[in-house]
Amino acid sequence: MPDSFLFPLSSDPSTVSVLVVDDTSTNRFILAKLLSREGYDVYQAEDGYSALSIAETQQPTLILLDIMMPEMDGYEVCKQLRDNAKTADIPIIFLSSLDAPFDKVQAFHRGAADYVTKPFQAEEVLARVRHQVRLQLAQQQQQRLRAELENRVQERTQLLELAHDQLLEIALTDRLTRLPNRLSFVKRLSKVMAQVRLSTAVPATSELAGDHFAVLFLDCDRFKRINDSLGHRVGDQLLKGVARRLTQIQHECMAVDTIARFGGDEFALLLVNVPDRETVVAVAEDVISAVAMPFALAGREICINASIGLVWGEPTYVAAEHLLRDADVAMYRAKDCDRNQYLWFESAMHNRELDLLQLETDMRAALERKEFELYYQPIVDLTTIKIVGFEALLRWQHPTRGLVPPDEFIGFAEETGFIVPLGDQVLSMACADIARWEREGLIGPGVTVSVNMAAQQLLQPNIVERVEQVIESTGIASHRLRIELTERSIITNQSVVDEVLRALRDRNIQLSIDDFGTGYSSLSCLHTLPVNCLKVDRSFVQPITSNPESLGIVPLILNIAKTMNMQVIAEGIENITQLRALQKLGCEYGQGYLFQKAVPAERAIALLSRPLDSWNDWQHGWGESPGNHKASA
């Protein structure tokens, strides 16, 4: 098989050179002629010193080396060639008249690749040269391949490193605003926290000592409304605008280290090297002012506000997520207090969140175990002082806390959505009590029971079918059920609510507007609502005294109801003066502690057989101390 096929990278023999080292000129001549005829380049040296010089400068492919030479023998030449990094890898074939095994072993020990005994045969020399050339070329090719492979590996490594950097940037960057994202912020915050912990362990003279940091957690108020009304594209543009304004603040304030978007309309700012809390407050106020400036989007000016939670970077924090949790809690408390607000986190906030978490767990279990009970407060005809109905008010019989007042869980149930299944239970319990009273003949045909319904219930797509199913399953007369609705639940989504109310009225269910006059109703649409009754809020009844000016807007509400042919029930009647004033104004019905507080079902139904027209009863037994404010499902 030809060399050109075995070694395509070095197929031309002329590229192969051989150095012949021999002190005998005849030997050099014969070998040079023999090798030249085969196409090899030949260098000649008559002694060891010349051989070392030529080998280093010409870098031959192969060396034929005589052993017996004056001044420096072949063994020493071989040793020095091997010690020189430039010639260490050149293969050496010894040519010598020494044929003792010892001499051959010593030659190989010194680094020889092969050994030919003089007098040599031409074919043997050429065969051994070809063999060593093949090996050398193979090694060179292997080195080239290895070098090429290493270059490719290095290139791939660089590409992988570049891809890794790009992926890392993607993983740590918010795609919409190009700000750092939550992961990036947490990494940076964790590093700052570690530095602060270290600063507490070093002397005060350290450059780390005394550094403080803080976190601002920002939420854009009313952002969902903008998304829903103008679309997500405009919402995205708004978020980009907020990001630009926050970045501008970062450029102007040295303390702002990092700004990140956490997702949705939430942003976070990390402040470092802050001397005091006043600096943090100043940044928070700058942020609120910047966000509050109008945005020009979709051909209009859009205004939003911001709520911010502030957390001072205490060294006691062990994890960045804990600090962000507290910042989030403070932000939501700021949102609850008022729009365009900021609040510092306090430990009591965290305790409240834990209480709410426990409340959610307990409420979920209470719904499953049916721990809720109904209490009933009488509704009285103010002319005859007779009970004409009851209002069902919810109580929670907690297994460990006892009776939980409604103002501790009704609002929470509305916020978390528990109000829907809870409202279903209330409706079922009230109708079950009505059915039992009807079967036992305890109530007259005109007695009604009022059940409060929250806005979330009213907007359920099958609310009418649910109410109708409960009425049918309990078998009560539908006119006995009066559903009380707040003004807000009626006015919000009025088109949907109006359809639901008319469907309920068509089923002979009575409807009342609860807490009327507290500021949500629109008189322009009141006359179109299919309601039977207005309930005057207790806040208008309680100020009533013998002074006519204390009546406030109660006469106006009564006149509105009379004009629209609606009944009126005054809530919160607590004394004789209030009763007399309402009677004089022509108010038909009322309820309050003057008559009776809310009591369990069995006690409530027993009131029907007890006369309420004894002024002495009101003063000495019936009227109980105020304070148990109404709250219901």
Side-chain angles (χ1 to χ4, degrees), residues 360-587:
E360 180 177 353
T361 301
D362 291 349
M363 182 167 287
R364 195 181 303 276
L367 285 167
E368 295 176 357
R369 296 194 290 257
K370 299 187 182 304
E371 295 173 358
F372 296 99
E373 301 177 2
L374 287 183
Y375 278 42
Y376 293 89
Q377 186 176 41
I379 299 174
V380 178
D381 185 318
L382 298 186
T383 301
T384 63
I385 315 300
K386 299 294 184 182
I387 295 175
V388 295
F390 297 93
E391 181 178 4
L393 301 172
L394 189 62
R395 302 292 184 268
W396 182 2
Q397 190 62 48
H398 195 279
T400 59
R401 296 174 57 188
L403 195 65
V404 180
D407 55 0
E408 293 188 16
F409 66 87
I410 292 297
F412 177 78
E414 292 177 342
E415 293 175 5
T416 56
F418 281 119
I419 196 68
V420 174
L422 184 57
D424 288 344
Q425 282 196 13
V426 169
L427 182 63
S428 297
M429 289 188 293
C431 290
D433 286 338
I434 295 172
R436 186 175 71 256
W437 294 340
E438 284 183 338
R439 288 195 304 269
E440 296 175 2
L442 300 176
I443 54 176
V447 175
T448 62
V449 173
S450 300
V451 176
N452 291 272
M453 184 172 288
Q456 293 96 317
Q457 295 175 261
L458 198 61
L459 295 176
Q460 293 297 304
N462 59 342
I463 182 61
V464 176
E465 289 75 10
R466 289 186 187 183
V467 174
E468 192 172 31
Q469 182 181 7
V470 172
I471 291 176
E472 292 178 355
S473 64
T474 54
I476 68 170
S478 59
H479 74 275
R480 291 194 184 277
L481 179 62
R482 185 192 299 269
I483 293 179
E484 294 191 3
L485 308 158
T486 63
E487 293 182 70
R488 172 181 286 179
S489 66
I490 294 177
I491 300 304
T492 305
N493 300 304
Q494 184 178 348
S495 59
V496 177
V497 169
D498 186 69
E499 182 180 350
V500 171
L501 297 183
R502 294 187 186 281
L504 293 173
R505 188 185 63 178
D506 291 344
R507 288 159 175 77
N508 205 25
I509 297 169
Q510 300 188 57
L511 303 171
S512 296
I513 298 180
D514 197 10
D515 302 334
F516 184 78
T518 53
Y520 294 101
S521 66
S522 172
L523 295 178
S524 62
C525 62
L526 180 61
H527 70 281
T528 65
L529 296 174
V531 296
N532 311 94
C533 177
L534 299 180
K535 297 191 75 173
V536 181
D537 188 68
R538 66 179 62 250
S539 62
F540 301 121
V541 174
Q542 289 178 347
I544 294 178
T545 64
S546 56
N547 185 349
E549 295 182 358
S550 66
L551 295 175
I553 68 169
V554 174
L556 175 61
I557 296 175
L558 293 173
N559 288 333
I560 292 173
K562 182 178 180 180
T563 301
M564 297 183 178
N565 196 29
M566 296 181 183
Q567 298 175 349
V568 176
I569 300 175
E571 298 181 290
I573 303 174
E574 296 181 356
N575 56 55
I576 300 298
T577 301
Q578 294 167 352
L579 173 63
R580 287 174 176 170
L582 291 168
Q583 287 174 327
K584 188 174 181 179
L585 290 172
C587 183

Side-chain angles (χ1 to χ4, degrees), residues 300-360:
R300 67 182 70 196
E301 285 192 349
I302 298 175
C303 296
I304 60 172
N305 297 323
S307 299
I308 302 178
L310 309 178
V311 176
W312 186 252
E314 300 290 349
T316 53
Y317 281 106
V318 296
E321 291 292 349
H322 296 168
L323 192 147
L324 291 174
R325 172 202 63 199
D326 292 346
D328 185 63
V329 169
M331 181 272 292
Y332 275 103
R333 288 300 302 274
K335 188 180 290 288
D336 291 341
C337 292
D338 194 7
R339 302 295 181 184
N340 228 32
Q341 281 282 356
Y342 60 84
L343 282 180
W344 283 101
F345 173 78
E346 299 175 358
S347 58
M349 296 180 183
H350 181 58
N351 294 335
R352 179 177 179 272
E353 292 301 313
L354 292 177
D355 291 341
L356 291 177
L357 179 61
Q358 186 61 49
L359 179 61
E360 180 177 353

Side-chain angles (χ1 to χ4, degrees), residues 120-181:
F120 52 78
Q121 297 294 322
E123 290 302 324
E124 180 185 4
V125 171
L126 289 176
R128 293 180 183 274
V129 167
R130 292 191 192 103
H131 177 67
Q132 292 300 324
V133 167
R134 288 195 186 100
L135 291 178
Q136 183 69 357
L137 293 177
Q139 291 177 357
Q140 292 175 359
Q141 184 183 37
Q142 186 178 23
Q143 291 174 355
R144 285 193 293 270
L145 292 175
R146 183 183 299 112
E148 182 180 353
L149 180 59
E150 289 177 352
N151 289 335
R152 290 183 181 180
V153 169
Q154 186 176 5
E155 291 175 358
R156 295 291 178 87
T157 301
Q158 292 174 348
L159 290 174
L160 287 174
E161 290 176 350
L162 179 60
H164 175 268
D165 292 341
Q166 292 174 341
L167 289 174
L168 186 61
E169 181 180 0
I170 293 173
L172 298 177
T173 304
D174 175 60
R175 296 180 61 183
L176 176 65
T177 63
R178 307 310 300 170
L179 290 175
N181 61 11

Side-chain angles (χ1 to χ4, degrees), residues 250-263:
Q250 183 180 22
H251 292 160
E252 297 172 355
C253 180
M254 295 287 293
V256 181
D257 178 86
T258 305
I259 299 175
R261 180 186 175 220
F262 273 34

Side-chain angles (χ1 to χ4, degrees), residues 72-361:
M72 182 185 298
D73 63 14
Y75 294 138
E76 181 61 26
V77 173
C78 183
K79 178 180 182 301
Q80 292 193 29
L81 287 171
R82 290 289 174 259
D83 291 341
N84 188 338
K86 294 182 179 181
T87 59
D89 295 328
I90 300 175
I92 299 172
I93 299 177
F94 275 108
L95 295 173
S96 178
S97 58
L98 301 175
D99 61 354
F102 172 80
D103 297 312
K104 296 179 180 180
V105 170
Q106 188 176 3
F108 285 112
H109 180 72
R110 294 296 180 93
D114 206 345
Y115 195 101
V116 178
T117 304
K118 294 179 180 179
F120 52 78
Q121 297 294 322
E123 290 302 324
E124 180 185 4
V125 171
L126 289 176
R128 293 180 183 274
V129 167
R130 292 191 192 103
H131 177 67
Q132 292 300 324
V133 167
R134 288 195 186 100
L135 291 178
Q136 183 69 357
L137 293 177
Q139 291 177 357
Q140 292 175 359
Q141 184 183 37
Q142 186 178 23
Q143 291 174 355
R144 285 193 293 270
L145 292 175
R146 183 183 299 112
E148 182 180 353
L149 180 59
E150 289 177 352
N151 289 335
R152 290 183 181 180
V153 169
Q154 186 176 5
E155 291 175 358
R156 295 291 178 87
T157 301
Q158 292 174 348
L159 290 174
L160 287 174
E161 290 176 350
L162 179 60
H164 175 268
D165 292 341
Q166 292 174 341
L167 289 174
L168 186 61
E169 181 180 0
I170 293 173
L172 298 177
T173 304
D174 175 60
R175 296 180 61 183
L176 176 65
T177 63
R178 307 310 300 170
L179 290 175
N181 61 11
R182 181 188 181 97
L183 176 60
S184 177
F185 190 89
V186 169
K187 289 170 68 69
R188 175 58 183 156
L189 177 58
S190 299
K191 183 177 180 180
V192 171
M193 293 173 66
Q195 291 175 337
V196 170
R197 284 194 295 269
L198 178 61
S199 71
T200 61
V202 298
T205 56
S206 168
E207 62 179 13
L208 289 174
D211 289 349
H212 299 289
F213 72 97
V215 169
L216 284 70
F217 197 81
L218 163 70
D219 180 85
C220 300
D221 301 329
R222 300 188 306 106
F223 178 75
K224 184 178 184 301
R225 183 179 301 174
I226 293 171
N227 251 354
D228 293 343
S229 59
L230 300 179
H232 288 275
R233 187 182 67 82
V234 175
D236 288 347
Q237 293 299 317
L238 178 60
L239 292 174
K240 289 181 180 179
V242 171
R244 285 192 294 269
R245 293 184 182 181
L246 295 178
T247 302
Q248 182 62 36
I249 292 175
Q250 183 180 22
H251 292 160
E252 297 172 355
C253 180
M254 295 287 293
V256 181
D257 178 86
T258 305
I259 299 175
R261 180 186 175 220
F262 273 34
D265 58 342
E266 293 180 340
F267 296 83
L269 288 79
L270 173 61
L271 277 60
V272 299
N273 300 326
V274 288
D276 48 42
R277 295 183 180 232
E278 285 73 18
T279 302
V280 181
V281 169
V283 174
E285 291 176 345
D286 288 344
V287 169
I288 288 176
S289 299
V291 173
M293 294 174 61
F295 293 85
L297 297 172
R300 67 182 70 196
E301 285 192 349
I302 298 175
C303 296
I304 60 172
N305 297 323
S307 299
I308 302 178
L310 309 178
V311 176
W312 186 252
E314 300 290 349
T316 53
Y317 281 106
V318 296
E321 291 292 349
H322 296 168
L323 192 147
L324 291 174
R325 172 202 63 199
D326 292 346
D328 185 63
V329 169
M331 181 272 292
Y332 275 103
R333 288 300 302 274
K335 188 180 290 288
D336 291 341
C337 292
D338 194 7
R339 302 295 181 184
N340 228 32
Q341 281 282 356
Y342 60 84
L343 282 180
W344 283 101
F345 173 78
E346 299 175 358
S347 58
M349 296 180 183
H350 181 58
N351 294 335
R352 179 177 179 272
E353 292 301 313
L354 292 177
D355 291 341
L356 291 177
L357 179 61
Q358 186 61 49
L359 179 61
E360 180 177 353
T361 301

